[in-house]
């Protein structure tokens, strides 16, 4: 994993423009303008803290982009971090999400031990919920946020 740089937009766009990948995140893939605005926001958030931000996830020996992940301050719950990830379809159901979550949680625990860790998913994204539950997350809120079905989970 390494933080996105300003030169990584095309890699980012290759992920977020895919309707299937984005189904449970925004409901559909982003167009170039939407992705550009989001990417600038990602770069800003990534500059706040050296250990926090949005990261490219790639296979180190081949440098193939697998997806991305984030660990950022959560603005809705005091002293909390939000984790999340997305993967290219060809890497679904291969245990990569588990590895990413484990790494994000480990980093959060080491550097921000007194912070709560949360994740936000689409309530219909059963694989993500099962993965988070495996790490001890419990649902604490369901509803509509920014016109998108949303479920918030907090690590016990």
């Amino acid at each position: 994993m390494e933080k996105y740089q300003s030169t990584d937009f095309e890699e980012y766009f290759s992920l977020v423009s895919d309707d299937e990948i984005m189904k449970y995140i925004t409901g559909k893939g982003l167009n170039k303008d939407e992705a550009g605005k989001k990417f600038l926001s990602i770069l800003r958030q990534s500059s706040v803290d050296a250990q926090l931000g949005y990261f490219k996830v790639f296979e180190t020996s081949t440098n193939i982009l697998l997806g991305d992940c984030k660990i950022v301050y959560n603005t809705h719950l005091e002293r909390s971090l939000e984790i999340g990830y997305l993967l290219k379809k060809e890497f679904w159901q291969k245990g990569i999400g588990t590895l990413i979550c484990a790494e994000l949680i480990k980093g959060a625990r080491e550097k921000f031990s007194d912070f709560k860790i949360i994740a936000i998913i689409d309530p219909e994204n059963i694989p993500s919920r099962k993965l988070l539950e495996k790490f001890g997350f419990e649902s604490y809120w369901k509803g509509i946020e920014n016109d998108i079905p949303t479920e918030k989970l907090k690590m016990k």
Side-chain angles (χ1 to χ4, degrees), residues 61-72:
S61 64
T62 62
N63 213 29
I64 292 173
L65 182 70
L66 307 177
D68 76 9
C69 64
K70 69 177 178 179
I71 180 167
V72 296

Side-chain angles (χ1 to χ4, degrees), residues 58-87:
F58 52 91
E59 208 287 313
T60 50
S61 64
T62 62
N63 213 29
I64 292 173
L65 182 70
L66 307 177
D68 76 9
C69 64
K70 69 177 178 179
I71 180 167
V72 296
Y73 290 116
N74 177 271
T75 56
H76 301 293
L77 191 61
E78 190 176 328
R79 297 190 62 74
S80 67
L81 299 173
E82 179 184 337
I83 64 169
Y85 73 93
L86 60 85
L87 292 170

Side-chain angles (χ1 to χ4, degrees), residues 24-71:
Y24 292 124
I25 298 171
T26 59
K28 63 175 180 56
L30 304 180
N31 64 38
K32 206 138 197 165
D33 185 52
E34 293 166 329
K37 288 175 184 169
K38 178 66 177 169
F39 190 68
L40 288 176
S41 170
I42 282 170
L43 293 176
R44 275 193 302 277
Q45 281 186 284
S46 292
S47 69
V48 170
D49 186 294
Q51 275 112 19
L52 301 178
Y54 286 75
F55 301 83
K56 299 182 292 183
V57 176
F58 52 91
E59 208 287 313
T60 50
S61 64
T62 62
N63 213 29
I64 292 173
L65 182 70
L66 307 177
D68 76 9
C69 64
K70 69 177 178 179
I71 180 167

